[in-house]
Amino acid sequence: DTGVSQDPRHKITKRGQNVTFRCDPISEHNRLYWYRQTLGQGPEFLTYFQNEAQLEKSRLLSDRFSAERPKGSFSTLEIQRTEQGDSAMYLCASSTTLAGKGDTQYFGPGTRLTVL
Amino acid sequence: GQNIDQPTEMTATEGAIVQINCTYQTSGFNGLFWYQQHAGEAPTFLSYNVLDGLEEKGRFSSFLSRSKGYSYLLLKELQMKDSASYLCAVRAGGSYIPTFGRGTSLIVHP
């Protein structure tokens, strides 16, 4: 078990550019979540997948944000036409529905996005 | 929606015991999590409570009272490395998605 990994760890971009982040969950986990976290706040939920199906999206997820999990394994989060307000840490987490695991989420190291 | 309240900041002395409280208002409670987050790093799982009572895990213990909408995280024999933010997260209303509080920044000094 290598844990949840995310790539890149840091991204600096200019306003208006598109960015894409990748998340690789723990291998046997069927659920995958994306969160956004800004300084002094807890993680805010963006979206969630069970296998390849995107089952829930937050109202925070504007139409500039899109997420995919095409084969039920890794996931990508794309932000189009980035704005300075998108600057944040983007966290990915995964969990399993296996009995006894409590559906506990395990987080990756995050991608820190800075929009100039 | 859910309302989760934690103190913003706490300080404690190395070797001491500290209790971090979390209160919540929600319907359809379905579990409470505590996470530790060091600055610039991802949250790491500490504990999960779904039934009333105390769960002990080494130096850390977590307590839940569903009737009072209250939980606490108890840290014993504090070490400098325990300086971090402690996040309370509540799952409710049939959703798999926990809602996180703003976190309590714990500063441990010598």
Side-chain angles (χ1 to χ4, degrees), chain A residues 31 33 35 37 40-43 45 48 56 91 102-105 107-109, chain B residues 33 35 37 40-43 45 48 87 91 95-98 100-103:
Chain A
R31 289 187 175 148
Y33 312 77
Y35 288 85
Q37 187 177 26
Q41 303 293 320
F45 169 72
Y48 137 70
E56 195 169 334
L91 294 166
D103 206 11
T104 299
Q105 297 180 349
F107 284 84
Chain B
F33 300 85
Y35 284 83
Q37 186 175 28
E41 298 181 13
F45 170 73
Y48 170 62
L87 299 163
R91 194 163 61 193
S95 173
Y96 299 116
I97 314 302
F100 284 81
R102 296 178 65 172

Side-chain angles (χ1 to χ4, degrees), chain A residues 87-99:
Chain A
S87 295
M89 175 77 88
Y90 289 84
L91 294 166
C92 175
S94 69
S95 69
T96 177
T97 51
L98 284 176

Side-chain angles (χ1 to χ4, degrees), chain B residues 15-36:
Chain B
I17 299 173
V18 71
Q19 178 175 310
I20 302 174
N21 296 325
C22 172
T23 58
Y24 61 89
Q25 295 174 317
T26 190
S27 58
F29 175 84
N30 192 25
L32 186 143
F33 300 85
W34 283 98
Y35 284 83
Q36 179 192 61

